[in-house]
Amino acid sequence: MKSDKISEAVVRRLPVYLRFLNDLNRREIATVSSQELGQRLDLNPAQIRKDLAYFGDFGRKGIGYDVPYLIEKIRHILKLDQPINVALVGAGNLGHALSNYNAYLKDTMKITAVFDSYQPKVGTKINTLTVQPMDELANTVREQGIRIGIITVPDQEAQNVADILIESGIEAILNFAPVILKTPSEVRVHAADFTTDLQSLAYYLHEGKEEEVDGQ
Amino acid sequence: MKSDKISEAVVRRLPVYLRFLNDLNRREIATVSSQELGQRLDLNPAQIRKDLAYFGDFGRKGIGYDVPYLIEKIRHILKLDQPINVALVGAGNLGHALSNYNAYLKDTMKITAVFDSYQPKVGTKINTLTVQPMDELANTVREQGIRIGIITVPDQEAQNVADILIESGIEAILNFAPVILKTPSEVRVHAADFTTDLQSLAYYLHEGKEEEVDGQ
DNA sequence: TAGATTGTTAATCGATTAACAATC
DNA sequence: TAGATTGTTAATCGATTAACAATC
């Protein structure tokens, strides 16, 4: 196959494939089949083959997929084969925690700037980065070619920060604040709010004190 | 309607509804229609009505939904109308950040214990909680009736921590480590790994240096 | 009564899975 | 050649949306 419009579900699985492939690569395993991948990632092998086939013929019949080659291909599809700079807005505890993940992101994606509107925080160090005031955001985004913004500010400030990021020309946002952001459709937004995650988990708890109609 | 088996997509929307309803309630807005909800949450009104109808007839034709009543109902569906204690494993930066969200979780869900395997960290305070050693986990989980575990340890330790949590009788896990956990099917696991989130975002960046076949 | 909005059925759309010819 | 595994089509399954009678 080749292109068509790719669904978000497919795109979200690619980083998961990549992560496991990197793991195989570290262990110097040269080849992997869709069946092995499916087993480890808890996915249907046909789904994995189909996902990959959207982007090209990466496998070899009878053999499977060459690990380093597939890594290269997925990195290219995800645009991780070019430097992607990321700005972090909100230098609180969560922002601080995320800034430590630069090592994890390795590849070419990197948090290169941190901003906060709280005056006393400006100028302090967060790992190797110095917290900048919000009014430097637009300039820094332009200078460093920053393309993705991470929002880790309190919920009341999140929309305002999103507006500023978009105004500065950012292309995508990862939003940790528990609000739905209003954004133009060209700007991709992913919600990363752990409180809704946790609340939806509660649904799956076995029945507690309250009696309920249906078990699971 | 009433019951049937509810899809995960539906369950994941419920906390989003709840969050917005709480907001309306704070602003003392007494009634809301599926259309208004849909507008604010970027969802189809029919989908919202259908989601809610799985659990009961909560609305009034011609009127809409009573905000406090619907809040009560959704809280009940999500089991947030009973105390749910949560354990946090991993007292690093991320764990520290999450422990601040107790206020956000308000309701009845609460992080009540923090564990870490790193000896020097044991005994230190994280907000109001004292970091406990891993070998106290099973006991504390039992004593406090903890039902959900949050994993914020490095990826190599995550599976081991998951095993310990499950062994102690935990019912659900929110996993921040970038690995796929092997768990029995009765234990619900949600992945909250922000690195895969960020990598999938990169896919949606406008074309960069590399030429590409299809724009967006 | 006229207007609004639900709950629900039917239609549509999209995603997952099964099956298999091609081929290494 | 026999066994393995891909890429892809067709079948299935599930989720979203449209439409509308019921009714406030």
Side-chain angles (χ1 to χ4, degrees):
Chain A
M1 203 177 266
K2 231 341 174 166
S3 56
D4 271 298
K5 48 244 80 103
I6 308 298
S7 85
E8 182 173 341
V10 174
V11 174
R12 282 189 171 275
R13 282 191 291 268
L14 293 178
V16 179
Y17 299 157
L18 182 59
R19 198 170 64 194
F20 183 61
L21 289 164
N22 277 324
D23 202 54
L24 290 178
N25 200 39
R26 230 172 287 119
R27 287 149 55 203
E28 293 181 342
I29 294 166
T31 300
V32 69
S33 68
S34 60
Q35 191 170 130
E36 288 169 73
L37 274 165
Q39 218 142 44
R40 291 309 225 79
L41 302 179
D42 231 344
L43 296 171
N44 184 301
Q47 181 169 67
I48 293 174
R49 293 200 299 279
K50 199 159 202 283
D51 283 356
L52 296 174
Y54 282 117
F55 302 98
D57 291 3
F58 301 146
R60 291 221 290 160
K61 299 184 189 190
I63 309 286
Y65 299 90
D66 181 81
V67 172
Y69 180 71
L70 190 53
I71 287 175
E72 187 191 314
K73 286 304 182 183
I74 296 181
R75 279 172 47 99
H76 180 71
I77 294 161
L78 291 174
K79 306 201 180 74
L80 298 175
D81 57 350
Q82 50 177 301
I84 296 178
N85 290 347
V86 179
L88 184 63
V89 185
N93 273 299
L94 184 56
H96 198 260
L98 299 186
S99 74
N100 291 131
Y101 278 72
N102 260 345
Y104 265 95
L105 295 172
K106 60 175 178 310
D107 278 309
T108 52
M109 195 182 269
K110 210 170 150 190
I111 297 171
T112 58
V114 182
F115 301 89
D116 203 297
S117 63
Y118 184 57
Q119 202 44 44
K121 228 164 217 162
V122 172
T124 62
K125 284 264 181 184
I126 235 181
N127 294 340
T128 61
L129 300 169
T130 303
V131 178
Q132 299 179 256
M134 288 302 288
D135 56 17
E136 289 180 11
L137 193 147
N139 260 332
T140 304
V141 163
R142 207 172 313 115
E143 278 166 22
Q144 300 188 354
I146 289 171
R147 305 176 70 184
I148 298 181
I150 303 180
I151 297 181
T152 54
V153 299
D155 51 357
Q156 323 84 28
E157 295 174 37
Q159 181 63 59
N160 184 37
V161 166
D163 294 343
I164 294 171
L165 283 168
I166 291 163
E167 180 74 15
S168 327
I170 225 94
E171 296 167 47
I173 290 175
L174 185 59
N175 177 33
F176 282 85
V179 292
I180 306 285
L181 298 175
K182 291 282 166 200
T183 53
S185 62
E186 326 87 71
V187 177
R188 187 88 191 178
V189 178
H190 282 185
D193 170 25
F194 101 104
T195 57
T196 56
D197 254 335
L198 210 45
Q199 290 179 337
S200 67
L201 259 190
Y203 176 83
Y204 297 99
L205 294 176
H206 317 318
E207 294 317 328
K209 317 186 170 186
E210 309 275 347
E211 96 303 345
E212 274 280 333
V213 187
D214 51 332
Q216 40 230 86
Chain B
M1 202 179 264
K2 228 350 174 163
S3 52
D4 271 299
K5 49 243 77 100
I6 307 297
S7 85
E8 181 173 341
V10 174
V11 174
R12 283 189 171 274
R13 282 190 292 269
L14 294 178
V16 179
Y17 300 157
L18 182 59
R19 199 171 63 194
F20 183 63
L21 289 164
N22 277 324
D23 202 51
L24 290 178
N25 200 39
R26 233 173 284 120
R27 287 149 54 203
E28 293 181 342
I29 294 166
T31 300
V32 69
S33 68
S34 61
Q35 193 170 129
E36 290 168 71
L37 275 165
Q39 220 143 44
R40 292 309 224 79
L41 303 178
D42 231 344
L43 295 170
N44 184 300
Q47 182 170 65
I48 294 174
R49 293 200 298 279
K50 201 160 199 286
D51 283 356
L52 297 174
Y54 282 117
F55 302 99
D57 293 0
F58 301 148
R60 289 219 292 160
K61 298 183 188 187
I63 310 285
Y65 298 91
D66 181 82
V67 171
Y69 180 70
L70 190 53
I71 287 175
E72 187 190 313
K73 286 304 181 182
I74 296 181
R75 280 170 47 97
H76 180 70
I77 294 162
L78 291 173
K79 305 200 181 75
L80 298 174
D81 58 348
Q82 52 177 299
I84 296 178
N85 291 344
V86 178
L88 183 62
V89 186
N93 273 299
L94 185 56
H96 196 261
L98 298 186
S99 73
N100 291 130
Y101 278 72
N102 260 345
Y104 266 95
L105 295 172
K106 61 175 180 304
D107 278 312
T108 51
M109 196 183 266
K110 210 169 149 188
I111 298 171
T112 58
V114 182
F115 301 90
D116 202 297
S117 64
Y118 184 57
Q119 202 45 44
K121 226 164 219 163
V122 172
T124 63
K125 284 264 181 181
I126 236 180
N127 294 341
T128 60
L129 301 168
T130 303
V131 178
Q132 298 178 257
M134 288 301 289
D135 57 17
E136 289 180 9
L137 194 147
N139 260 332
T140 304
V141 164
R142 208 171 312 113
E143 279 167 21
Q144 300 188 354
I146 289 171
R147 305 175 71 185
I148 299 181
I150 302 180
I151 298 181
T152 54
V153 299
D155 52 357
Q156 322 84 29
E157 295 174 37
Q159 180 63 58
N160 184 36
V161 166
D163 294 344
I164 294 171
L165 282 168
I166 291 164
E167 180 74 16
S168 326
I170 224 94
E171 296 166 49
I173 291 175
L174 184 59
N175 177 33
F176 282 84
V179 292
I180 306 284
L181 297 175
K182 291 282 165 202
T183 54
S185 61
E186 327 85 72
V187 177
R188 187 87 191 179
V189 179
H190 282 186
D193 170 26
F194 101 104
T195 57
T196 56
D197 255 333
L198 211 45
Q199 290 179 338
S200 67
L201 259 190
Y203 176 83
Y204 296 99
L205 294 177
H206 317 318
E207 294 318 328
K209 315 183 173 190
E210 308 274 349
E211 95 305 343
E212 273 278 335
V213 186
D214 53 329
Q216 43 228 85

